[in-house]
Amino acid sequence: MSEFLVSLLGERLVNSEKAEVDVQSLGAKLSLVGLFFGCSLNAPCKQFNGSLCEFYSRFKKTSEHKDKLEIVFISSDQDQKHWQDFLQEMPWPALPFKDRHKKMKLWNKYKVTSIPSLVFVDAATGKVVCRNGLLVVRDDPKGLEFPWGPKPFAEVVAGPLLRNNRQTTDSSSLEGHYVGVYFSAHWCPPCRSLTRVLVESYRTVKESGHKFEIVFVSADRSEESFKQYFNEARRSRLNRLYGIQGIPTLILLDAEGHMITRQGRVEVLNDPECRLFPWHPRPVLELSESNAVQLHEGPCLVLFVDAEEEGELEPAKELIQPIAEKLMAKYKAKEEETPLLFFVAGEDDMSDSLRDYTNLPEAAPLLTILDMSARAKYVRDVEEITPAVVEQFVNDFLAEKLKPEPI
């Protein structure tokens, strides 16, 4: 276990007294690590840190599992004085301020898109146990449900569900169905826009003969709206189960309750006729306005080509698809998320905007890897882009052999 933690966090952490903490000394009984991603200048982070300190102190004093948990602070502070002052408030260690590379690797590995964020991971493997630790701190203040591992969807959602005619149905009616778990709220304009599209998609899928249902998990603020759609306990457990960090979010599950994709929102918008339902992840995506948000979820390989008409991107997709499929299969076997997304981009306004934003040359074809969260780019400048060139580029990136350029 200690060897893995060293590879994940490095050999040394630091504590509030500026002393080094040997990662291997965190304890042989340690089974869970909470990665706290935050920033001293962020008001919600400051507020959550107070709650987390109370939770941590209580857990260490009263829980029979007190030796099995440790928290590590992963800061996005740019000023060392601010970072040090914030660390003074924490009873747990932190990644060293100057270890920016390790911080960005952790942000990308665990796909952190907002702060504060608390991700609980298995200390021996690094696999995610619970993505939404903020809700753990709020809903289980005494830590009685440690280690907060995922439960089957059917167990979490168990109970009565309310239909739009105010009639109830039991959650067991979802058995054998594809299920869309839709986190949304009436007060949220993007949610209302997606809901209109989703209603039509729902009808289309049902008419095609698929067993498909959508469970609406409301984030409405009024007590009446809150009670109307879902009780608090189930809402919180579903948010924890899927690590929801923002709305609208649409999770697609297969008939056994296993996740198909977290990108239901993108899929619904990109496939209004639902031809690709149930929207299994595709190895290579064509860059568009609706899926460009995924560029911010982690490193992405983008192959820019000279293509303006529909169908002209196919040769580019066929070139990189075997490499993308191989990488997806490798990480799926390890039950981990793929560390790199793959896109092809033609000549259009979306591609032009991306080139301008990342300061990329106008050349086509152009092979790049963009890491928006790290504000870094990698460009392979070769006369001909072949599968061998792409595969070597990907392998070098994953092995950290490439030198980044700033975005």
Side-chain angles (χ1 to χ4, degrees), residues 349-361:
D349 291 343
M350 183 68 243
S351 297
D352 291 344
S353 297
L354 182 58
R355 284 182 188 264
D356 290 343
Y357 179 75
T358 55
N359 196 27
L360 287 169

Side-chain angles (χ1 to χ4, degrees), residues 80 83 95-103:
Q80 188 165 1
W83 170 80
L95 228 61
F97 176 78
K98 294 182 179 180
D99 200 347
R100 297 177 185 271
H101 177 68
K102 184 72 72 174
K103 293 175 187 177

Side-chain angles (χ1 to χ4, degrees), residues 26-162:
L26 291 180
K29 296 182 180 179
L30 187 67
S31 64
L32 197 71
V33 177
L35 301 176
F36 173 24
F37 297 87
C39 175
S40 66
L41 301 181
N42 180 279
C45 288
K46 296 280 285 185
Q47 183 177 2
F48 175 69
N49 185 61
S51 300
L52 185 57
C53 283
E54 292 179 11
F55 173 88
Y56 182 87
S57 176
R58 185 185 303 112
F59 189 90
K60 289 294 186 180
K61 289 179 180 177
T62 65
S63 175
E64 62 179 308
H65 305 293
K66 60 184 179 182
D67 295 328
K68 297 181 180 180
L69 174 69
E70 189 53 89
I71 306 290
V72 177
F73 179 48
I74 316 295
S75 171
S76 55
D77 280 288
Q78 302 299 310
D79 183 277
Q80 188 165 1
K81 178 66 165 56
H82 291 156
W83 170 80
Q84 187 64 56
D85 289 344
F86 197 24
L87 186 58
Q88 294 289 321
E89 304 173 17
M90 301 177 184
W92 50 77
L95 228 61
F97 176 78
K98 294 182 179 180
D99 200 347
R100 297 177 185 271
H101 177 68
K102 184 72 72 174
K103 293 175 187 177
M104 291 315 308
K105 282 189 64 178
L106 290 168
W107 274 72
N108 286 333
K109 180 178 179 65
Y110 295 110
K111 300 190 182 300
V112 176
T113 57
S114 63
I115 55 174
S117 183
L118 178 63
V119 182
F120 289 111
V121 304
D122 187 296
T125 65
K127 292 181 180 178
V128 174
V129 174
C130 177
R131 287 189 177 278
N132 205 330
L134 277 69
L135 291 181
V136 168
V137 172
R138 188 193 74 181
D139 299 336
D140 185 24
K142 296 183 179 179
L144 300 179
E145 297 179 31
F146 178 90
W148 311 293
K151 297 178 180 178
F153 169 74
E155 180 180 335
V156 174
V157 80
L161 300 174
L162 185 68

